[in-house]
Amino acid sequence: KAGVTQTPRYLIKTRGQQVTLSCSPISGHRSVSWYQQTPGQGLQFLFEYFSETQRNKGNFPGRFSGRQFSNSRSEMNVSTLELGDSALYLCASSLEEGAFNSPLHFGNGTRLTVT
Amino acid sequence: GQQLNQSPQSMFIQEGEDVSMNCTSSSIFNTWLWYKQDPGEGPVLLIALYKAGELTSNGRLTAQFGTTRKDSFLNISASIPSDVGIYFCAGQNTGNNRKLIWGLGTSLAVNP
């Protein structure tokens, strides 16, 4: 069974640009969550999507947005990039929403560098 | 955002030694999860705990869900070089929209 696939693996952008990251969940998984990982802050929850609806949201500004398609694939978008947005962005899928009794399975992430 | 207290922050041990790490929270959790992250990869689930007092093993790894529901422990026995990585705990607080709360990780280095 294929794991969670994230593309691209690496991105370099400049301040002010926008970026779109893609995530394909494990087949059959309907929930997709996005996390930002930085050395000092650990894993910070961005949002969770289930059945094409955002079910949960972390404490990030509106520049961070996402969506989920009918095939459960998900994208996240960051507009007006700032230097502090440089991080590893991780996508995780689970069978059901909320990860209760349905642990998260992570992709290998997209490393975003903002210059 | 809310985070768990995970300790130690880092460990450097000799191959063959046992390792212990723990996470504590001010909130009660219904689920504790332990993940390991290798360099350049995403976290991989090691052990999931769903019941207070539960003790679960996965090979050389053993994790326990604390009876107070505010802590969890992970032990690694007879460490080997491939145990190197960052270990994360995560707790789920059903009173917080069921979001997972994460520790900052324990970085483990093993000297062969």
Side-chain angles (χ1 to χ4, degrees), chain A residues 9 35 37 41-45 56-57 88 90 97-101 103-104 106-108, chain B residues 1 3 30-31 33 35 37 40-43 45 48 50 88 92 97-100 102 104:
Chain A
R9 283 300 306 272
Y35 285 84
Q37 185 178 28
Q41 297 296 317
L43 284 94
Q44 298 294 319
F45 173 73
N56 233 327
K57 191 176 186 305
L88 180 68
L90 291 164
E97 67 175 310
F100 185 71
N101 281 340
L104 299 177
F106 285 87
N108 285 332
Chain B
Q3 280 170 336
N30 292 321
T31 300
L33 304 171
Y35 284 82
Q37 186 174 26
E41 299 183 10
L45 180 67
Y50 299 108
F88 291 97
Q92 189 157 40
N97 292 323
R98 301 196 294 174
K99 280 190 267 190
L100 280 174
W102 293 83
L104 291 180

Side-chain angles (χ1 to χ4, degrees), chain B residues 49-72:
Chain B
L49 302 162
Y50 299 108
K51 189 176 175 183
E54 180 181 356
L55 184 72
T56 297
S57 293
N58 178 7
R60 294 177 297 104
L61 278 62
T62 302
Q64 183 161 26
F65 193 141
T67 54
T68 65
R69 294 166 63 191
K70 292 184 178 181
D71 58 7
S72 180

